[in-house]
Amino acid sequence: MGFLTHKNTEKEERMKKFIVIAVAVLLAIPAISFAGSATSRWDLTLGGYVNFDMGWADVGTNADYALAPRDSYGAWESRAAEYSSEYAAGAAGRLWWIVKGPDAWGAKTGAYVEGDFRGQTGDYGEFNLRHAFMKLDWANDSLQIGRQWQRWGAHFPFGGYLLSFSGLGPSLKGQRNEAIVWDHKFAKDWGWYLGVYHNSNNDMGVRALDDFANSPYPFFEFGIKYASASCGRIGNQIMMFDIGGFVGWERNIWSVTDVTVPSNQYSDDTAQAWGVAAKYYIPIIPERKGNKAGAFGIGGNAFVGQNLGWYGGIGGYTVDPGLPGIIDPKLSYPHQWGGWFQIDYWFSNALSIHGWYSHAKNNFSSRAADFGLVPAGLPKQNQQYIVNLSYDVNPAMRFGVEYAHIRTKYANYEVSNIGTIAEPIPAITGDKKGTLNTIRIGAWYFF
């Protein structure tokens, strides 16, 4: 048992200390090697917010409601219309990185990256890329390259007060695309923008070979804007007016089978997509020396266009089947129009109330109606009434409570087959309208 009573010599103690230090250095090498990933070679700012909200609805819905489900019809009950629901969401929080880099070609350069955890392209809670673009800023010009908001329709004066993520969505809240956009300021408060972007009606974005990607042409957007702080501001909102639009093309390809030819053939039809939107915000009573008490502002947008279903609105397309071998099928698109109006008032610097009314409508083409091609489940009209009361505890924390009333009209009644399998009988099983009422509470922590 001598080894249990052995005493370390001074030399052995020094050797142990050397081994401990050597191991610590070796373990530290990977951390030192990746130290650059914790900061940046350039000026890097990290920000974002944590978000949580929950609510109750008088119909069956989830946290991303935008339309009301159909009402029950006669003796036929709709499950969504007859049973209320509870929902909650905690993945709408965001992270963003703002980078300021070295100058190039006489311009200030930078980049912006932002994402949330809503899992729009995967499971709920997965990180989802929202923005990723680089930027060059000159005195009167700016160039943005990468994934970003469309310019012609996107408008965000609701500034973190709107609790429902999909609120106002059917009435043109905007969409993100891969784009190259040029901004030019030609007077003190006036400017224009011109952009080219890839459009997609699929969450997979650039990885999707859809009808828009089948078009050989990208989409183009353009507009003119006015923004001035001469009438004051409310937070980061100053007086602004903007009118813009876009134009693009979609090509639908379908298989055509000819019994006289022992091979598969394809046919296609190209249709134009276009839209125009006007948007504004006016701080009628601006804040005073950074205090919003008594401040009052209004804002909103109005739009009209065709083939707008890709932006998350209430539209879609139908196909006129034509006559096989004689008349080719044709795409048939509804014209769409609508918009939303916003009103803001601050009782104090911390307590504020906000209200929105939105409207969106599909004017289905007579050609599609003549052929009975308007799907019964396609929304014809959608209206949202939303009111929100918010309280800022401090510059980092905000609480809110929100009520929403949504009214949706569908293209036709819901029809299902009843009776026997051998003798099905078409019957109306759902109304062509519906309503939704919900109350929601939420909290943000900005950093």
Side-chain angles (χ1 to χ4, degrees):
M1 302 296 291
F3 67 92
L4 294 176
T5 58
H6 175 72
K7 294 182 179 180
N8 294 327
T9 64
E10 183 178 346
K11 183 177 180 180
E12 290 173 328
E13 291 291 341
R14 289 199 301 268
M15 181 60 69
K16 287 182 178 180
K17 290 180 180 180
F18 172 78
I19 293 173
V20 171
I21 294 173
V23 170
V25 171
L26 289 173
L27 292 174
I29 287 176
I32 295 171
S33 301
F34 291 100
S37 64
T39 57
S40 173
R41 290 181 297 169
W42 320 123
D43 183 359
L44 175 67
T45 301
L46 172 66
Y49 61 81
V50 176
N51 169 260
F52 172 80
D53 54 77
M54 66 184 303
W56 300 264
D58 64 349
V59 296
T61 187
N62 58 37
D64 282 350
Y65 52 82
L67 306 174
R70 292 177 182 275
D71 288 340
S72 299
Y73 185 85
W76 291 89
E77 289 188 344
S78 165
R79 176 175 176 173
E82 296 297 326
Y83 292 90
S84 59
S85 60
E86 175 268 340
Y87 54 82
R94 299 177 190 173
L95 287 176
W96 58 70
W97 295 262
I98 301 174
V99 182
K100 295 180 181 179
D103 293 355
W105 301 321
K108 300 291 184 182
T109 70
Y112 181 76
V113 180
E114 179 191 287
D116 62 23
F117 298 89
R118 298 185 67 249
Q120 289 173 280
T121 57
D123 294 330
Y124 186 74
E126 289 184 9
F127 188 74
N128 175 70
L129 182 66
R130 291 169 54 85
H131 298 274
F133 61 83
M134 61 195 80
K135 190 175 183 181
L136 293 90
D137 288 318
W138 292 270
N140 296 310
D141 295 275
S142 177
L143 181 66
Q144 288 186 190
I145 306 172
R147 183 170 177 79
Q148 57 191 284
W149 281 111
Q150 55 175 234
R151 295 295 185 84
W152 75 273
H155 187 32
F156 308 102
F158 29 90
Y161 295 99
L162 189 65
L163 274 171
S164 53
F165 186 87
S166 298
L168 308 181
S171 298
L172 191 62
K173 197 168 67 173
Q175 183 189 16
R176 294 175 295 272
N177 303 97
E178 279 67 31
I180 302 173
V181 182
W182 186 279
D183 283 274
H184 175 69
K185 189 175 182 180
F186 59 84
K188 179 183 177 182
D189 300 319
W190 289 89
W192 54 255
Y193 55 88
L194 178 65
V196 57
Y197 63 92
H198 168 80
N199 187 64
S200 175
N201 60 357
N202 189 299
D203 281 340
M204 298 299 287
V206 296
R207 291 185 290 167
L209 180 58
D210 55 25
D211 294 342
F212 291 111
N214 279 323
S215 169
Y217 309 106
F219 277 50
F220 299 91
E221 62 179 344
F222 42 84
I224 186 169
K225 56 185 179 180
Y226 171 84
S228 174
S230 60
C231 295
R233 64 175 58 242
I234 303 176
N236 61 356
Q237 297 294 332
I238 60 176
M239 183 169 64
M240 65 83 62
F241 298 93
D242 184 316
I243 183 167
F246 84 98
V247 63
W249 294 265
E250 174 188 3
R251 182 165 59 187
N252 187 280
I253 303 173
W254 50 81
S255 176
V256 178
T257 302
D258 189 339
V259 295
T260 64
V261 181
S263 63
N264 189 53
Q265 303 292 320
Y266 290 93
S267 183
D268 67 274
D269 187 29
T270 300
Q272 192 174 71
W274 63 270
V276 178
K279 47 195 177 181
Y280 66 96
Y281 191 83
I282 306 173
I284 296 176
I285 303 177
E287 64 182 46
R288 295 176 177 82
K289 297 181 180 180
N291 191 327
K292 300 186 184 73
F296 174 66
I298 59 173
N301 81 342
F303 73 92
V304 64
Q306 186 177 26
N307 191 8
L308 296 178
W310 47 264
Y311 77 87
I314 63 172
Y317 69 82
T318 55
V319 179
D320 170 0
L323 296 174
I326 301 176
I327 302 175
D328 284 340
K330 294 291 183 182
L331 296 181
S332 180
Y333 292 91
H335 284 88
Q336 296 170 281
W337 63 270
W340 51 267
F341 173 76
Q342 173 178 344
I343 186 169
D344 305 310
Y345 180 75
W346 277 260
F347 299 102
S348 68
N349 191 48
L351 183 63
S352 58
I353 188 168
H354 311 268
W356 298 269
Y357 167 74
S358 75
H359 185 99
K361 186 173 182 179
N362 274 329
N363 289 326
F364 296 110
S365 70
S366 58
R367 184 179 179 86
D370 290 342
F371 280 89
L373 298 171
V374 179
L378 195 63
K380 183 177 181 180
Q381 180 175 292
N382 193 63
Q383 294 173 290
Q384 295 182 344
Y385 303 81
I386 306 172
V387 61
N388 173 285
L389 187 67
S390 290
Y391 179 75
D392 293 334
V393 179
N394 55 40
M397 181 173 285
R398 174 179 296 161
F399 292 100
V401 58
E402 184 172 289
Y403 167 76
H405 173 74
I406 300 177
R407 306 175 68 88
T408 305
K409 292 182 179 180
Y410 291 88
N412 212 327
Y413 294 98
E414 180 180 65
V415 178
S416 303
N417 286 326
I418 61 174
T420 65
I421 296 178
E423 296 183 9
I425 302 173
I428 297 176
T429 57
D431 207 341
K432 59 180 180 181
K433 60 182 176 60
T435 60
L436 179 154
N437 293 280
T438 179
I439 188 167
R440 189 170 186 146
I441 59 174
W444 299 263
Y445 193 91
F446 302 92
F447 57 89

